[in-house]
Amino acid sequence: GNRDDRGVCQCSVILPDNTFPVLRVERLEITAQTISKKFETELSKVKEYVQLISKYEEKLLNLTVRVSIMEKDSISYTELDFELIKMEVKEMEKLIKRLKVGFSGSTVIIDQLEVEIRNMTLLVEQLETLDKNNVLAIRRQVLALKNRLKECEASKVESTPPPPAPGSCAHGGVANISKPIIVQLNWLGFSYKYGAWGRDYSPQDPGNGLYWVAPLNTDGRILQYYRLYNTKDDLLLYTNARQNQISYGQGSGTVVYKNNMYVNWYNSQNMAKINLTTNKVDLSQTLPNAAYNNRFSYANVGWQDMDFAVDENGLWVIYATEASTGNIVISKLNDTTLAVLNTWHTKQYKPSVTNTFMVCGVLYATRTLNTRIEEIFYYYDTNTGKEGRLNIVMQKMQETVQSINYHPFEQKLFVYNDGYLLNYDLVFRQIPQ
């Protein structure tokens, strides 16, 4: 400062701007607050990602251990196990992508994790393709085959030919068979696994035959008791039954025709005809040259040396002889006198067959494929003398089929399957017009 003429001290101040920048200071404060919030948000994201990385590092370690066990183990893992691993790896791949987009700064750890996850994916795919027992490939093939079979079955159902008239042979033979229908467990219970059942057939009154059930004793040999039911409802409810006792029946080759029951006489080469009204033997006759007493019975079923059958043409008996060396012999019988009217010799070995039945003079034979499936695999046509192979799958409820009887009017099979009474509908081949 300095003094003027009057002795007053004067000072001067130089200001760069005459106005205070309030607006700029406010914008600066707002910007600082926004940056602070963004920083806090990004910091929380970083903390979250650090936790997720720790979590997935643990998962990755667990997966590494599991995959190394799978590499060393000889057991084939299921497709579900592989799918679960794939899902977990895909989850980690998604997380890595999110981290790469939202995480600024050093990405060395993330890049390393991405490489490890990619290697894990390749390893899982390699393990799947190198499955030692090819279980997965087989399962896929089986699934594809099942789908094809379902389509085929659906097309068959749509094009199932109309059945021939009841009791008619105006068809080209058995073409297919339905799934089993469980009618009932035999009245003696599950322990009585061996036996036979069916419905009486008479050409004079084809639709009104009574139902019969003939379980063998638990030894699988002696036929001692049988029951008769007038209706199927009586059979289902175990009511209004006529129970009879005999002491000379053997094996489960029993059949009923025109109110008479035909059985193999116990411990003999004889056929017996029992009148169901009186429960007495009307006739006993020797079956010439027939092997008996479990010589050539069916596979898995003992004492069925003589298997009686009924079809549209009448009464038959299926057996084997020493001269036939165990091959099946078919004889047409006179149902009144039990005389043999005609005989046919086949090339099919009887003990390799599980059971047989007759339809329109054609013998059909079954064999076991597994515990739930039989196959109608062979036929012999007595009308032409021709024989051949078939491939008709026949499902069953239990392991062993003890007897099969055909009813011409209903065109059904009556099957005794380890104590259970089953029905099957037959599908016949149409004759070309």
Side-chain angles (χ1 to χ4, degrees), residues 210-271:
L210 50 79
Y211 293 86
W212 57 274
V213 183
L216 303 183
N217 288 351
T218 52
D219 61 2
R221 179 180 183 182
I222 299 172
L223 172 58
Q224 191 172 6
Y225 297 97
Y226 66 90
R227 276 189 176 183
L228 306 174
Y229 301 89
N230 289 323
T231 66
K232 193 170 186 177
D233 287 340
D234 289 341
L235 169 66
L236 292 172
L237 298 172
Y238 301 116
T239 57
N240 303 318
R242 284 188 286 146
Q243 184 169 313
N244 293 325
Q245 180 177 1
I246 56 177
S247 59
Y248 38 78
Q250 175 172 283
S252 51
T254 309
V255 81
V256 172
Y257 182 57
K258 295 182 181 178
N259 200 48
N260 293 298
M261 179 177 280
Y262 297 87
V263 300
N264 177 200
W265 194 286
Y266 179 78
N267 199 34
S268 78
Q269 203 177 34
N270 289 359
M271 304 173 287

Short mmCIF file of all heavy atoms in Angstrom, two decimals, residues 210-271:
data_model
loop_
_atom_site.label_atom_id
_atom_site.label_comp_id
_atom_site.label_asym_id
_atom_site.label_seq_id
_atom_site.Cartn_x
_atom_site.Cartn_y
_atom_site.Cartn_z
N LEU A 210 -69.07 -124.30 -20.27
CA LEU A 210 -68.67 -123.92 -18.91
C LEU A 210 -67.15 -123.76 -18.82
O LEU A 210 -66.40 -124.25 -19.65
CB LEU A 210 -69.16 -124.98 -17.91
CG LEU A 210 -68.88 -126.47 -18.18
CD1 LEU A 210 -67.47 -126.84 -17.83
CD2 LEU A 210 -69.84 -127.33 -17.37
N TYR A 211 -66.71 -123.04 -17.79
CA TYR A 211 -65.29 -122.82 -17.54
C TYR A 211 -64.77 -123.88 -16.57
O TYR A 211 -65.47 -124.27 -15.63
CB TYR A 211 -65.05 -121.42 -16.96
CG TYR A 211 -65.36 -120.31 -17.93
CD1 TYR A 211 -66.65 -119.82 -18.06
CD2 TYR A 211 -64.36 -119.75 -18.71
CE1 TYR A 211 -66.94 -118.80 -18.95
CE2 TYR A 211 -64.64 -118.72 -19.60
CZ TYR A 211 -65.94 -118.25 -19.72
OH TYR A 211 -66.22 -117.24 -20.61
N TRP A 212 -63.56 -124.33 -16.79
CA TRP A 212 -62.97 -125.34 -15.92
C TRP A 212 -61.54 -124.95 -15.52
O TRP A 212 -60.83 -124.31 -16.29
CB TRP A 212 -62.96 -126.72 -16.61
CG TRP A 212 -62.22 -126.73 -17.92
CD1 TRP A 212 -62.71 -126.41 -19.16
CD2 TRP A 212 -60.84 -127.04 -18.13
NE1 TRP A 212 -61.73 -126.51 -20.13
CE2 TRP A 212 -60.57 -126.90 -19.51
CE3 TRP A 212 -59.80 -127.43 -17.28
CZ2 TRP A 212 -59.31 -127.14 -20.06
CZ3 TRP A 212 -58.55 -127.66 -17.82
CH2 TRP A 212 -58.32 -127.52 -19.20
N VAL A 213 -61.16 -125.30 -14.31
CA VAL A 213 -59.82 -125.02 -13.80
C VAL A 213 -59.31 -126.29 -13.14
O VAL A 213 -59.97 -126.86 -12.27
CB VAL A 213 -59.81 -123.87 -12.77
CG1 VAL A 213 -58.39 -123.57 -12.32
CG2 VAL A 213 -60.46 -122.62 -13.35
N ALA A 214 -58.13 -126.76 -13.59
CA ALA A 214 -57.59 -128.04 -13.11
C ALA A 214 -56.14 -127.88 -12.67
O ALA A 214 -55.22 -128.28 -13.38
CB ALA A 214 -57.71 -129.11 -14.21
N PRO A 215 -55.91 -127.32 -11.45
CA PRO A 215 -54.53 -127.24 -10.96
C PRO A 215 -54.02 -128.60 -10.51
O PRO A 215 -54.78 -129.41 -9.95
CB PRO A 215 -54.64 -126.28 -9.78
CG PRO A 215 -56.06 -126.34 -9.35
CD PRO A 215 -56.87 -126.72 -10.53
N LEU A 216 -52.74 -128.88 -10.76
CA LEU A 216 -52.15 -130.11 -10.26
C LEU A 216 -51.73 -129.92 -8.80
O LEU A 216 -51.63 -128.80 -8.30
CB LEU A 216 -50.91 -130.48 -11.09
CG LEU A 216 -51.11 -130.64 -12.61
CD1 LEU A 216 -49.79 -131.06 -13.25
CD2 LEU A 216 -52.20 -131.63 -12.93
N ASN A 217 -51.49 -131.02 -8.14
CA ASN A 217 -50.94 -130.94 -6.78
C ASN A 217 -49.57 -130.26 -6.84
O ASN A 217 -48.97 -130.13 -7.91
CB ASN A 217 -50.83 -132.33 -6.16
CG ASN A 217 -52.21 -132.89 -5.80
OD1 ASN A 217 -53.21 -132.18 -5.86
ND2 ASN A 217 -52.25 -134.16 -5.41
N THR A 218 -49.06 -129.90 -5.68
CA THR A 218 -47.79 -129.16 -5.64
C THR A 218 -46.61 -129.97 -6.17
O THR A 218 -45.54 -129.43 -6.41
CB THR A 218 -47.49 -128.67 -4.21
OG1 THR A 218 -47.59 -129.78 -3.31
CG2 THR A 218 -48.48 -127.59 -3.79
N ASP A 219 -46.79 -131.30 -6.34
CA ASP A 219 -45.72 -132.11 -6.93
C ASP A 219 -45.61 -131.90 -8.44
O ASP A 219 -44.68 -132.38 -9.09
CB ASP A 219 -45.92 -133.60 -6.62
CG ASP A 219 -47.22 -134.15 -7.19
OD1 ASP A 219 -47.97 -133.40 -7.87
OD2 ASP A 219 -47.52 -135.33 -6.95
N GLY A 220 -46.59 -131.18 -9.03
CA GLY A 220 -46.56 -130.90 -10.46
C GLY A 220 -46.91 -132.10 -11.32
O GLY A 220 -46.71 -132.06 -12.54
N ARG A 221 -47.47 -133.15 -10.71
CA ARG A 221 -47.77 -134.37 -11.48
C ARG A 221 -49.24 -134.78 -11.40
O ARG A 221 -49.88 -135.01 -12.42
CB ARG A 221 -46.89 -135.52 -10.96
CG ARG A 221 -47.15 -136.83 -11.70
CD ARG A 221 -46.27 -137.96 -11.20
NE ARG A 221 -46.48 -139.18 -11.97
CZ ARG A 221 -45.88 -140.33 -11.73
NH1 ARG A 221 -45.00 -140.44 -10.74
NH2 ARG A 221 -46.12 -141.38 -12.49
N ILE A 222 -49.80 -134.90 -10.20
CA ILE A 222 -51.11 -135.53 -10.02
C ILE A 222 -52.23 -134.49 -10.15
O ILE A 222 -52.21 -133.45 -9.49
CB ILE A 222 -51.19 -136.21 -8.64
CG1 ILE A 222 -50.15 -137.32 -8.53
CG2 ILE A 222 -52.59 -136.77 -8.39
CD1 ILE A 222 -50.02 -137.93 -7.16
N LEU A 223 -53.21 -134.81 -10.98
CA LEU A 223 -54.45 -134.04 -11.08
C LEU A 223 -55.48 -134.69 -10.15
O LEU A 223 -55.95 -135.79 -10.43
CB LEU A 223 -54.96 -134.01 -12.52
CG LEU A 223 -56.35 -133.39 -12.74
CD1 LEU A 223 -56.40 -131.95 -12.25
CD2 LEU A 223 -56.75 -133.47 -14.21
N GLN A 224 -55.81 -134.02 -9.06
CA GLN A 224 -56.71 -134.60 -8.06
C GLN A 224 -58.04 -133.86 -7.96
O GLN A 224 -59.08 -134.47 -7.76
CB GLN A 224 -56.01 -134.60 -6.69
CG GLN A 224 -56.73 -135.41 -5.62
CD GLN A 224 -55.90 -135.54 -4.35
OE1 GLN A 224 -54.83 -134.94 -4.23
NE2 GLN A 224 -56.40 -136.33 -3.41
N TYR A 225 -58.00 -132.53 -8.08
CA TYR A 225 -59.22 -131.73 -7.97
C TYR A 225 -59.36 -130.83 -9.19
O TYR A 225 -58.38 -130.33 -9.74
CB TYR A 225 -59.16 -130.84 -6.71
CG TYR A 225 -59.09 -131.61 -5.41
CD1 TYR A 225 -57.87 -131.83 -4.79
CD2 TYR A 225 -60.24 -132.11 -4.81
CE1 TYR A 225 -57.78 -132.52 -3.59
CE2 TYR A 225 -60.17 -132.82 -3.61
CZ TYR A 225 -58.94 -133.02 -3.01
OH TYR A 225 -58.86 -133.73 -1.83
N TYR A 226 -60.60 -130.62 -9.59
CA TYR A 226 -60.88 -129.62 -10.62
C TYR A 226 -62.21 -128.96 -10.30
O TYR A 226 -63.06 -129.52 -9.60
CB TYR A 226 -60.90 -130.23 -12.03
CG TYR A 226 -62.01 -131.21 -12.29
CD1 TYR A 226 -63.24 -130.80 -12.79
CD2 TYR A 226 -61.83 -132.58 -12.06
CE1 TYR A 226 -64.26 -131.71 -13.05
CE2 TYR A 226 -62.84 -133.49 -12.32
CZ TYR A 226 -64.06 -133.05 -12.81
OH TYR A 226 -65.08 -133.95 -13.05
N ARG A 227 -62.39 -127.75 -10.80
CA ARG A 227 -63.62 -126.99 -10.57
C ARG A 227 -64.27 -126.60 -11.89
O ARG A 227 -63.57 -126.33 -12.88
CB ARG A 227 -63.34 -125.73 -9.75
CG ARG A 227 -63.29 -125.97 -8.24
CD ARG A 227 -63.24 -124.63 -7.49
NE ARG A 227 -63.29 -124.84 -6.05
CZ ARG A 227 -63.32 -123.86 -5.16
NH1 ARG A 227 -63.29 -122.60 -5.57
NH2 ARG A 227 -63.37 -124.12 -3.87
N LEU A 228 -65.60 -126.52 -11.85
CA LEU A 228 -66.40 -126.11 -13.01
C LEU A 228 -67.21 -124.88 -12.64
O LEU A 228 -67.79 -124.81 -11.53
CB LEU A 228 -67.33 -127.25 -13.44
CG LEU A 228 -66.67 -128.60 -13.72
CD1 LEU A 228 -67.73 -129.66 -13.99
CD2 LEU A 228 -65.72 -128.50 -14.90
N TYR A 229 -67.26 -123.89 -13.55
CA TYR A 229 -68.05 -122.67 -13.33
C TYR A 229 -68.95 -122.47 -14.54
O TYR A 229 -68.50 -122.57 -15.69
CB TYR A 229 -67.13 -121.46 -13.20
CG TYR A 229 -66.13 -121.54 -12.06
CD1 TYR A 229 -64.88 -122.12 -12.26
CD2 TYR A 229 -66.42 -121.03 -10.81
CE1 TYR A 229 -63.94 -122.18 -11.24
CE2 TYR A 229 -65.49 -121.08 -9.77
CZ TYR A 229 -64.25 -121.67 -10.00
OH TYR A 229 -63.33 -121.73 -8.98
N ASN A 230 -70.21 -122.11 -14.29
CA ASN A 230 -71.15 -121.92 -15.39
C ASN A 230 -70.89 -120.63 -16.15
O ASN A 230 -71.14 -120.55 -17.36
CB ASN A 230 -72.59 -121.92 -14.88
CG ASN A 230 -73.03 -123.31 -14.43
OD1 ASN A 230 -72.65 -124.31 -15.04
ND2 ASN A 230 -73.79 -123.38 -13.35
N THR A 231 -70.40 -119.60 -15.45
CA THR A 231 -70.17 -118.31 -16.09
C THR A 231 -68.79 -117.78 -15.70
O THR A 231 -68.18 -118.22 -14.71
CB THR A 231 -71.22 -117.27 -15.67
OG1 THR A 231 -71.06 -116.98 -14.28
CG2 THR A 231 -72.63 -117.77 -15.95
N LYS A 232 -68.35 -116.79 -16.45
CA LYS A 232 -67.06 -116.17 -16.14
C LYS A 232 -67.13 -115.36 -14.84
O LYS A 232 -66.15 -115.29 -14.09
CB LYS A 232 -66.62 -115.27 -17.30
CG LYS A 232 -65.16 -114.85 -17.20
CD LYS A 232 -64.69 -114.18 -18.48
CE LYS A 232 -63.20 -113.90 -18.42
NZ LYS A 232 -62.69 -113.30 -19.68
N ASP A 233 -68.29 -114.77 -14.57
CA ASP A 233 -68.46 -114.03 -13.31
C ASP A 233 -68.29 -114.96 -12.11
O ASP A 233 -67.68 -114.59 -11.11
CB ASP A 233 -69.83 -113.36 -13.26
CG ASP A 233 -69.91 -112.15 -14.20
OD1 ASP A 233 -68.84 -111.63 -14.57
OD2 ASP A 233 -71.03 -111.75 -14.56
N ASP A 234 -68.83 -116.17 -12.21
CA ASP A 234 -68.66 -117.15 -11.13
C ASP A 234 -67.18 -117.48 -10.94
O ASP A 234 -66.69 -117.61 -9.82
CB ASP A 234 -69.44 -118.42 -11.42
CG ASP A 234 -70.95 -118.22 -11.31
OD1 ASP A 234 -71.36 -117.25 -10.67
OD2 ASP A 234 -71.70 -119.04 -11.87
N LEU A 235 -66.47 -117.61 -12.06
CA LEU A 235 -65.03 -117.90 -12.00
C LEU A 235 -64.27 -116.76 -11.31
O LEU A 235 -63.43 -117.00 -10.44
CB LEU A 235 -64.50 -118.11 -13.42
CG LEU A 235 -62.98 -118.18 -13.59
CD1 LEU A 235 -62.41 -119.41 -12.91
CD2 LEU A 235 -62.59 -118.18 -15.06
N LEU A 236 -64.61 -115.52 -11.68
CA LEU A 236 -63.91 -114.36 -11.11
C LEU A 236 -64.18 -114.21 -9.62
O LEU A 236 -63.32 -113.76 -8.87
CB LEU A 236 -64.34 -113.09 -11.84
CG LEU A 236 -63.89 -112.98 -13.31
CD1 LEU A 236 -64.53 -111.78 -13.98
CD2 LEU A 236 -62.38 -112.88 -13.40
N LEU A 237 -65.38 -114.58 -9.19
CA LEU A 237 -65.76 -114.39 -7.78
C LEU A 237 -65.62 -115.66 -6.95
O LEU A 237 -65.94 -115.66 -5.76
CB LEU A 237 -67.22 -113.90 -7.70
CG LEU A 237 -67.50 -112.55 -8.38
CD1 LEU A 237 -69.00 -112.27 -8.42
CD2 LEU A 237 -66.78 -111.42 -7.65
N TYR A 238 -65.12 -116.75 -7.57
CA TYR A 238 -65.00 -118.05 -6.88
C TYR A 238 -66.35 -118.51 -6.31
O TYR A 238 -66.43 -119.07 -5.21
CB TYR A 238 -63.98 -117.99 -5.73
CG TYR A 238 -62.58 -117.60 -6.10
CD1 TYR A 238 -62.01 -116.43 -5.62
CD2 TYR A 238 -61.81 -118.40 -6.93
CE1 TYR A 238 -60.71 -116.07 -5.95
CE2 TYR A 238 -60.50 -118.04 -7.28
CZ TYR A 238 -59.96 -116.88 -6.78
OH TYR A 238 -58.69 -116.52 -7.11
N THR A 239 -67.43 -118.24 -7.01
CA THR A 239 -68.76 -118.60 -6.49
C THR A 239 -69.42 -119.64 -7.39
O THR A 239 -69.08 -119.78 -8.57
CB THR A 239 -69.67 -117.36 -6.40
OG1 THR A 239 -69.75 -116.74 -7.70
CG2 THR A 239 -69.11 -116.35 -5.41
N ASN A 240 -70.40 -120.33 -6.83
CA ASN A 240 -71.22 -121.32 -7.56
C ASN A 240 -70.37 -122.34 -8.30
O ASN A 240 -70.67 -122.74 -9.43
CB ASN A 240 -72.16 -120.62 -8.56
CG ASN A 240 -73.06 -119.59 -7.89
OD1 ASN A 240 -73.59 -119.86 -6.80
ND2 ASN A 240 -73.23 -118.44 -8.50
N ALA A 241 -69.29 -122.77 -7.65
CA ALA A 241 -68.38 -123.73 -8.30
C ALA A 241 -68.79 -125.15 -7.95
O ALA A 241 -69.24 -125.44 -6.84
CB ALA A 241 -66.95 -123.47 -7.85
N ARG A 242 -68.61 -126.04 -8.93
CA ARG A 242 -68.73 -127.48 -8.67
C ARG A 242 -67.32 -128.04 -8.60
O ARG A 242 -66.58 -128.00 -9.58
CB ARG A 242 -69.50 -128.17 -9.80
CG ARG A 242 -71.00 -127.94 -9.75
CD ARG A 242 -71.70 -128.82 -10.79
NE ARG A 242 -71.49 -128.33 -12.15
CZ ARG A 242 -71.38 -129.11 -13.20
NH1 ARG A 242 -71.42 -130.42 -13.09
NH2 ARG A 242 -71.20 -128.58 -14.41
N GLN A 243 -66.95 -128.55 -7.45
CA GLN A 243 -65.61 -129.10 -7.28
C GLN A 243 -65.67 -130.62 -7.26
O GLN A 243 -66.43 -131.21 -6.50
CB GLN A 243 -64.99 -128.60 -5.97
CG GLN A 243 -63.55 -129.07 -5.77
CD GLN A 243 -62.86 -128.36 -4.63
OE1 GLN A 243 -62.94 -127.13 -4.52
NE2 GLN A 243 -62.22 -129.11 -3.76
N ASN A 244 -64.86 -131.24 -8.12
CA ASN A 244 -64.82 -132.70 -8.21
C ASN A 244 -63.43 -133.22 -7.91
O ASN A 244 -62.43 -132.51 -8.08
CB ASN A 244 -65.25 -133.16 -9.62
CG ASN A 244 -66.72 -132.86 -9.89
OD1 ASN A 244 -67.56 -132.94 -9.00
ND2 ASN A 244 -67.04 -132.51 -11.13
N GLN A 245 -63.39 -134.49 -7.50
CA GLN A 245 -62.12 -135.12 -7.16
C GLN A 245 -61.94 -136.39 -7.98
O GLN A 245 -62.87 -137.18 -8.15
CB GLN A 245 -62.08 -135.46 -5.66
CG GLN A 245 -60.78 -136.12 -5.23
CD GLN A 245 -60.73 -136.39 -3.74
OE1 GLN A 245 -61.70 -136.09 -3.02
NE2 GLN A 245 -59.64 -136.95 -3.25
N ILE A 246 -60.73 -136.57 -8.49
CA ILE A 246 -60.38 -137.81 -9.18
C ILE A 246 -59.03 -138.26 -8.63
O ILE A 246 -58.37 -137.54 -7.89
CB ILE A 246 -60.31 -137.63 -10.71
CG1 ILE A 246 -59.31 -136.51 -11.07
CG2 ILE A 246 -61.68 -137.34 -11.30
CD1 ILE A 246 -59.11 -136.31 -12.57
N SER A 247 -58.60 -139.45 -9.00
CA SER A 247 -57.33 -139.97 -8.45
C SER A 247 -56.45 -140.59 -9.52
O SER A 247 -55.56 -141.35 -9.22
CB SER A 247 -57.64 -141.01 -7.36
OG SER A 247 -58.41 -142.07 -7.91
N TYR A 248 -56.71 -140.21 -10.79
CA TYR A 248 -55.98 -140.89 -11.86
C TYR A 248 -55.45 -139.94 -12.93
O TYR A 248 -54.89 -140.38 -13.93
CB TYR A 248 -56.90 -141.92 -12.53
CG TYR A 248 -58.33 -141.45 -12.66
CD1 TYR A 248 -58.69 -140.55 -13.65
CD2 TYR A 248 -59.29 -141.88 -11.77
CE1 TYR A 248 -59.99 -140.10 -13.75
CE2 TYR A 248 -60.60 -141.44 -11.86
CZ TYR A 248 -60.94 -140.54 -12.85
OH TYR A 248 -62.22 -140.08 -12.93
N GLY A 249 -55.60 -138.64 -12.74
CA GLY A 249 -55.10 -137.69 -13.73
C GLY A 249 -53.61 -137.43 -13.55
O GLY A 249 -53.09 -137.40 -12.43
N GLN A 250 -52.91 -137.20 -14.67
CA GLN A 250 -51.47 -136.96 -14.62
C GLN A 250 -51.09 -135.87 -15.62
O GLN A 250 -51.47 -135.94 -16.79
CB GLN A 250 -50.69 -138.24 -14.94
CG GLN A 250 -49.16 -138.05 -15.02
CD GLN A 250 -48.43 -139.38 -15.13
OE1 GLN A 250 -48.27 -140.09 -14.14
NE2 GLN A 250 -48.01 -139.73 -16.34
N GLY A 251 -50.32 -134.86 -15.17
CA GLY A 251 -49.83 -133.83 -16.07
C GLY A 251 -50.85 -132.75 -16.36
O GLY A 251 -52.03 -132.86 -16.02
N SER A 252 -50.38 -131.69 -17.01
CA SER A 252 -51.24 -130.53 -17.28
C SER A 252 -51.64 -130.43 -18.75
O SER A 252 -51.87 -129.35 -19.28
CB SER A 252 -50.52 -129.23 -16.85
OG SER A 252 -49.22 -129.17 -17.39
N GLY A 253 -51.75 -131.59 -19.41
CA GLY A 253 -52.20 -131.60 -20.81
C GLY A 253 -53.70 -131.74 -20.95
O GLY A 253 -54.21 -132.12 -22.01
N THR A 254 -54.44 -131.38 -19.90
CA THR A 254 -55.90 -131.57 -19.84
C THR A 254 -56.63 -130.66 -20.83
O THR A 254 -56.22 -129.53 -21.08
CB THR A 254 -56.38 -131.26 -18.41
OG1 THR A 254 -55.59 -132.00 -17.49
CG2 THR A 254 -57.84 -131.63 -18.23
N VAL A 255 -57.77 -131.17 -21.33
CA VAL A 255 -58.65 -130.36 -22.16
C VAL A 255 -60.09 -130.83 -21.94
O VAL A 255 -60.32 -131.96 -21.49
CB VAL A 255 -58.26 -130.45 -23.66
CG1 VAL A 255 -58.80 -131.71 -24.30
CG2 VAL A 255 -58.68 -129.22 -24.43
N VAL A 256 -61.06 -129.95 -22.24
CA VAL A 256 -62.49 -130.30 -22.13
C VAL A 256 -63.15 -130.06 -23.48
O VAL A 256 -62.98 -128.99 -24.08
CB VAL A 256 -63.18 -129.47 -21.02
CG1 VAL A 256 -64.70 -129.70 -21.05
CG2 VAL A 256 -62.62 -129.84 -19.65
N TYR A 257 -63.91 -131.07 -23.94
CA TYR A 257 -64.57 -131.01 -25.25
C TYR A 257 -65.91 -131.75 -25.15
O TYR A 257 -65.96 -132.90 -24.71
CB TYR A 257 -63.67 -131.66 -26.31
CG TYR A 257 -64.19 -131.64 -27.72
CD1 TYR A 257 -64.52 -130.45 -28.35
CD2 TYR A 257 -64.33 -132.82 -28.45
CE1 TYR A 257 -64.99 -130.43 -29.65
CE2 TYR A 257 -64.78 -132.82 -29.77
CZ TYR A 257 -65.12 -131.62 -30.37
OH TYR A 257 -65.57 -131.60 -31.66
N LYS A 258 -66.98 -131.05 -25.49
CA LYS A 258 -68.33 -131.63 -25.47
C LYS A 258 -68.68 -132.22 -24.10
O LYS A 258 -69.15 -133.36 -24.00
CB LYS A 258 -68.47 -132.70 -26.55
CG LYS A 258 -68.37 -132.19 -27.98
CD LYS A 258 -68.58 -133.32 -28.97
CE LYS A 258 -68.46 -132.88 -30.40
NZ LYS A 258 -68.63 -133.99 -31.37
N ASN A 259 -68.39 -131.45 -23.05
CA ASN A 259 -68.73 -131.85 -21.67
C ASN A 259 -67.96 -133.07 -21.18
O ASN A 259 -68.34 -133.71 -20.21
CB ASN A 259 -70.24 -132.10 -21.52
CG ASN A 259 -70.68 -132.01 -20.07
OD1 ASN A 259 -70.33 -131.07 -19.36
ND2 ASN A 259 -71.43 -133.00 -19.61
N ASN A 260 -66.82 -133.36 -21.82
CA ASN A 260 -65.95 -134.45 -21.37
C ASN A 260 -64.53 -133.91 -21.17
O ASN A 260 -64.04 -133.12 -21.98
CB ASN A 260 -65.93 -135.59 -22.39
CG ASN A 260 -67.26 -136.29 -22.50
OD1 ASN A 260 -67.74 -136.89 -21.54
ND2 ASN A 260 -67.88 -136.23 -23.68
N MET A 261 -63.91 -134.37 -20.08
CA MET A 261 -62.53 -133.98 -19.80
C MET A 261 -61.61 -135.11 -20.24
O MET A 261 -61.87 -136.28 -19.93
CB MET A 261 -62.35 -133.69 -18.31
CG MET A 261 -60.93 -133.30 -17.92
SD MET A 261 -60.77 -132.88 -16.16
CE MET A 261 -61.41 -131.21 -16.16
N TYR A 262 -60.51 -134.75 -20.93
CA TYR A 262 -59.57 -135.75 -21.43
C TYR A 262 -58.23 -135.56 -20.71
O TYR A 262 -57.68 -134.46 -20.69
CB TYR A 262 -59.40 -135.61 -22.93
CG TYR A 262 -60.68 -135.88 -23.69
CD1 TYR A 262 -61.60 -134.86 -23.92
CD2 TYR A 262 -60.98 -137.16 -24.14
CE1 TYR A 262 -62.79 -135.10 -24.59
CE2 TYR A 262 -62.17 -137.41 -24.82
CZ TYR A 262 -63.07 -136.38 -25.03
OH TYR A 262 -64.25 -136.64 -25.68
N VAL A 263 -57.74 -136.65 -20.10
CA VAL A 263 -56.50 -136.59 -19.34
C VAL A 263 -55.63 -137.81 -19.64
O VAL A 263 -56.12 -138.82 -20.16
CB VAL A 263 -56.77 -136.54 -17.81
CG1 VAL A 263 -57.60 -135.32 -17.44
CG2 VAL A 263 -57.43 -137.81 -17.32
N ASN A 264 -54.36 -137.69 -19.30
CA ASN A 264 -53.45 -138.85 -19.33
C ASN A 264 -53.64 -139.62 -18.02
O ASN A 264 -53.49 -139.07 -16.94
CB ASN A 264 -52.01 -138.33 -19.46
CG ASN A 264 -50.97 -139.44 -19.43
OD1 ASN A 264 -49.81 -139.18 -19.15
ND2 ASN A 264 -51.35 -140.69 -19.70
N TRP A 265 -53.99 -140.90 -18.14
CA TRP A 265 -54.19 -141.74 -16.95
C TRP A 265 -52.87 -141.89 -16.21
O TRP A 265 -51.83 -142.12 -16.82
CB TRP A 265 -54.74 -143.10 -17.36
CG TRP A 265 -55.30 -143.91 -16.22
CD1 TRP A 265 -54.58 -144.55 -15.27
CD2 TRP A 265 -56.67 -144.17 -15.94
NE1 TRP A 265 -55.42 -145.19 -14.39
CE2 TRP A 265 -56.70 -144.97 -14.78
CE3 TRP A 265 -57.87 -143.80 -16.55
CZ2 TRP A 265 -57.90 -145.42 -14.21
CZ3 TRP A 265 -59.05 -144.24 -15.99
CH2 TRP A 265 -59.07 -145.05 -14.83
N TYR A 266 -52.95 -141.76 -14.89
CA TYR A 266 -51.76 -141.77 -14.04
C TYR A 266 -50.89 -143.01 -14.27
O TYR A 266 -51.39 -144.13 -14.30
CB TYR A 266 -52.18 -141.68 -12.57
CG TYR A 266 -51.03 -141.71 -11.59
CD1 TYR A 266 -50.25 -140.58 -11.37
CD2 TYR A 266 -50.69 -142.88 -10.92
CE1 TYR A 266 -49.19 -140.59 -10.49
CE2 TYR A 266 -49.63 -142.91 -10.03
CZ TYR A 266 -48.88 -141.77 -9.82
OH TYR A 266 -47.83 -141.80 -8.94
N ASN A 267 -49.58 -142.79 -14.47
CA ASN A 267 -48.59 -143.86 -14.54
C ASN A 267 -48.86 -144.86 -15.67
O ASN A 267 -48.59 -146.05 -15.54
CB ASN A 267 -48.51 -144.59 -13.19
CG ASN A 267 -47.21 -145.38 -13.04
OD1 ASN A 267 -46.16 -144.96 -13.53
ND2 ASN A 267 -47.27 -146.52 -12.37
N SER A 268 -49.40 -144.36 -16.78
CA SER A 268 -49.74 -145.30 -17.87
C SER A 268 -49.69 -144.61 -19.22
O SER A 268 -49.53 -143.39 -19.33
CB SER A 268 -51.14 -145.87 -17.65
OG SER A 268 -52.13 -144.93 -18.03
N GLN A 269 -49.88 -145.44 -20.27
CA GLN A 269 -49.90 -144.98 -21.66
C GLN A 269 -51.33 -144.71 -22.11
O GLN A 269 -51.57 -144.48 -23.29
CB GLN A 269 -49.27 -146.08 -22.53
CG GLN A 269 -48.70 -145.64 -23.85
CD GLN A 269 -48.04 -146.82 -24.58
OE1 GLN A 269 -48.50 -147.97 -24.48
NE2 GLN A 269 -46.98 -146.55 -25.30
N ASN A 270 -52.25 -144.66 -21.15
CA ASN A 270 -53.68 -144.56 -21.48
C ASN A 270 -54.21 -143.14 -21.48
O ASN A 270 -53.72 -142.29 -20.72
CB ASN A 270 -54.51 -145.39 -20.50
CG ASN A 270 -54.33 -146.88 -20.71
OD1 ASN A 270 -53.58 -147.30 -21.60
ND2 ASN A 270 -54.97 -147.69 -19.88
N MET A 271 -55.23 -142.94 -22.29
CA MET A 271 -56.01 -141.71 -22.30
C MET A 271 -57.32 -141.99 -21.58
O MET A 271 -57.92 -143.06 -21.77
CB MET A 271 -56.30 -141.25 -23.73
CG MET A 271 -55.06 -141.05 -24.58
SD MET A 271 -55.46 -140.71 -26.32
CE MET A 271 -56.00 -142.34 -26.89
#
